[in-house]
Amino acid sequence: MTVLASVSLATFLVTGLAATQFRSQPLASSNRLARDEALRQSVNQLSDQNRALKARVQALQAQVKAGEDESARRSSAVQQVKALLDEQRAIAGLLALHGPGLTILLHDGVDPNDPADRSLGWTVHYQDLQDIISLLWANGAEAVAVNGQRIVPTTSFHYAGVNILINNANRLTGPYTVTALGDPSTLANGLGDPDQLAELKSRSRIYGLGLSWLRSTRLSVPAYDATFLVKNAQPLG
Amino acid sequence: MPNHSADRIARFQRLIVVSLIGLALGFLVVLQLRSQAAVARTLASQDNTSVALLINDLNRANNQLIQQAAALSQQETQLRQALTAGGADAQAISKELQTLREVNGTTPVHGPGLQIRILGSLMDFELQDLLNSLRAAGGEAFSLNGRRMISSTSIVSRGNTLLIGGQAVSAPLVLSVIGDPEQLEPAADLSASSLQTRVQVDIQRKSDLTISEVINARPLIYAQLGR
């Protein structure tokens, strides 16, 4: 694996260098169009498959729940375990929740078209979303969703090219809506603290990048649209 | 002999896949540095590298969803068989409870993984990105300097101080992650390559790591069940 890692790293560096040094020869336009079309078709097919698989997972979750409910009716021992299970499900984000909270709206600003400014500071990056979410957790948020995607214990954010992906390759596109359940005042005060999100707030002033929030007495966050698999971690003892 | 040959083919295939990912990432970094087109987020207007990386992620996610469906299907069969036999299967439900406790960080765990020592302090976004990479590579349980972490653990820099769940942690940072080392190590190596310009990073594979710290789940006060 060390060899693989070295090869990966070396390829990464060499390719990066090559890409900065050379311009690729343009393909014949017909080939290029065919390749572009094939790539986009693959994305559409895989996205359809992704939706179908999530629907299958959700249908199976409903069947499992029905089996558990029936089992709990038959056995008091099962009933006790199931009460604990429901508690952990709520914590894990497998159940929809509602309550008071805060809605945060975020959108790209205006491209300054300035050759001296190539920072892309006018766009919303996944790190901005993650900074906001981290601050919400720090201020007592009990549940968070972004554009209808529940943030669960295993959620990670990353770029696939220009795409922001979370939770099983869900593509997030702007404008972004972050919904947090919790005490609206505490959450709003956390975001309003001038020491927090200082860089994002400064970009909001410079580039007109949209950052605002609204308190609500009733908001809802959906359940996570898949489930969890643990293959390597084992209970201790 | 056939096994040996199959092994060689498998190794070669892994090498090709890793090289291709390295190739794509190399272009990606340059692309992100150079391209103003990096904000074109509709599929039709995206560059092919972005589309290729999206295909890679969709494939990986779909494979995971297939595995999730298989596990749920097995669980459902087990529950149904017990019900048909006139009883109730407490074991299937207990197993699910254990899985969720592991995911939520509310129970101690052990297993194979990596121990990453960082001889210096990190900014919040650097630690977030390291965790993002390791989670995407299948990291299942995390602890940093004896503090269990899940995605709802806040990571905030205040000046040069790194606060994890509101508590300051100081260098050296020791991050333990449980998961398949084969998958975790390339992700850790890539993250380390960018961190190593500033701090020394030491990555060690462990056949059995213990994470005994747990998260005390906060009770829901404002949130209620249902949409």
Side-chain angles (χ1 to χ4, degrees):
Chain A
M1 210 53 222
T2 317
V3 177
L4 286 182
S6 313
V7 170
S8 167
L9 194 61
T11 318
F12 169 75
L13 293 173
V14 169
T15 312
L17 190 66
T20 55
Q21 298 299 324
F22 302 106
R23 284 184 171 221
S24 59
Q25 289 295 317
L27 285 172
S29 62
S30 58
N31 285 351
R32 195 168 56 223
L33 282 174
R35 187 189 59 184
D36 291 358
E37 183 56 30
L39 277 172
R40 278 149 190 79
Q41 230 168 35
S42 294
V43 170
N44 289 333
Q45 281 167 0
L46 287 166
S47 300
D48 288 346
Q49 194 191 6
N50 188 275
R51 273 188 291 277
L53 283 165
K54 279 181 195 152
R56 165 115 180 103
V57 164
Q58 284 160 30
L60 283 163
Q61 281 175 310
Q63 287 174 27
V64 166
K65 188 180 176 303
E68 287 169 352
D69 289 346
E70 180 55 31
S71 304
R73 274 193 289 275
R74 291 190 188 182
S75 151
S76 59
V78 170
Q79 205 170 359
Q80 283 175 7
V81 181
K82 194 176 171 296
L84 297 172
L85 180 63
D86 287 341
E87 198 182 311
Q88 293 294 320
R89 274 193 178 137
I91 298 169
L94 288 169
L95 304 175
L97 297 172
H98 72 272
L102 209 63
T103 305
I104 299 100
L105 302 165
L106 201 60
H107 64 75
D108 286 345
V110 180
D111 184 352
N113 280 317
D114 178 358
D117 180 0
R118 293 181 170 268
S119 67
L120 289 179
W122 59 280
T123 64
V124 175
H125 301 278
Y126 76 80
Q127 291 91 340
D128 300 323
L129 292 166
Q130 221 165 358
D131 286 349
I132 289 172
I133 293 166
S134 196
L135 197 55
L136 291 168
W137 293 131
N139 284 282
E142 294 178 0
V144 179
V146 186
N147 288 13
Q149 269 300 316
R150 185 75 173 267
I151 305 299
V152 292
T154 55
T155 297
S156 67
F157 285 72
H158 68 278
Y159 274 127
V162 298
N163 301 288
I164 297 178
L165 299 184
I166 66 166
N167 294 353
N168 300 305
N170 278 292
R171 200 153 65 95
L172 295 181
T173 52
Y176 305 93
T177 305
V178 181
T179 309
L181 303 186
D183 176 21
S185 298
T186 311
L187 295 171
N189 291 343
L191 292 183
D193 180 347
D195 291 338
Q196 298 300 333
L197 306 174
E199 195 255 356
L200 180 62
K201 287 172 185 168
S202 135
R203 279 162 48 214
S204 172
R205 283 190 296 272
I206 297 168
Y207 302 107
L209 184 148
L211 171 65
S212 59
W213 51 87
L214 197 68
R215 300 173 199 212
S216 297
T217 51
R218 194 188 193 287
L219 292 170
S220 62
V221 292
Y224 177 44
D225 61 5
T227 187
F228 306 101
L229 279 183
V230 175
K231 297 176 195 162
N232 294 280
Q234 301 288 323
L236 195 64
Chain B
M1 249 353 234
N3 277 347
H4 184 64
S5 155
D7 193 39
R8 271 178 45 198
I9 291 169
R11 277 174 56 191
F12 181 69
Q13 282 174 340
R14 276 210 304 272
L15 203 68
I16 295 288
V17 168
V18 171
S19 302
L20 281 175
I21 291 171
L23 194 80
L25 285 172
F27 273 114
L28 176 65
V29 166
V30 173
L31 191 88
Q32 286 198 331
L33 288 174
R34 296 175 117 199
S35 175
Q36 287 291 328
V39 290
R41 282 173 183 155
T42 62
L43 194 58
S45 56
Q46 283 186 23
D47 57 283
N48 284 347
T49 309
S50 289
V51 178
L53 287 164
L54 184 57
I55 288 172
N56 188 42
D57 272 278
L58 277 165
N59 263 319
R60 191 168 54 177
N62 289 356
N63 283 335
Q64 276 166 7
L65 289 167
I66 288 167
Q67 290 176 38
Q68 289 180 15
L72 284 166
S73 189
Q74 197 184 357
Q75 194 183 350
E76 198 267 334
T77 307
Q78 211 176 328
L79 284 164
R80 193 162 28 85
Q81 277 171 351
L83 288 168
T84 311
D89 192 339
Q91 212 186 344
I93 301 179
S94 298
K95 191 165 171 269
E96 191 186 351
L97 174 63
Q98 185 56 43
T99 298
L100 288 183
R101 280 181 169 155
E102 288 166 5
V103 167
N104 289 331
T106 54
T107 192
V109 285
H110 74 106
L114 302 180
Q115 194 165 66
I116 303 170
R117 282 177 62 85
I118 299 157
L119 302 176
S121 64
L122 294 183
M123 295 298 290
D124 48 8
F125 66 90
E126 291 173 315
L127 178 60
Q128 280 286 18
D129 267 348
L130 177 60
L131 294 174
N132 279 330
S133 306
L134 294 170
R135 282 204 181 98
E140 294 173 358
F142 296 85
S143 85
L144 181 77
N145 287 22
R147 197 166 292 281
R148 186 78 171 261
M149 301 178 84
I150 56 172
S151 79
S152 61
T153 307
S154 65
I155 301 171
V156 178
S157 284
R158 191 158 295 162
N160 285 328
T161 309
L162 184 62
L163 301 173
I164 305 296
Q167 304 287 316
V169 292
S170 48
L173 303 175
V174 180
L175 178 69
S176 297
V177 48
I178 293 179
D180 178 3
E182 288 278 328
Q183 312 241 347
L184 293 174
E185 203 163 13
D189 282 343
L190 265 182
S191 294
S193 65
S194 63
L195 291 175
Q196 261 162 346
T197 56
R198 210 171 56 72
V199 288
Q200 193 186 326
V201 182
D202 170 49
I203 301 166
Q204 278 188 2
R205 267 190 198 214
K206 299 278 179 187
S207 57
D208 194 20
L209 264 172
T210 296
I211 296 181
S212 50
E213 305 81 16
V214 296
I215 285 172
N216 293 317
R218 280 182 297 205
L220 299 179
I221 299 167
Y222 295 92
Q224 294 175 41
L225 289 179
R227 293 217 68 166

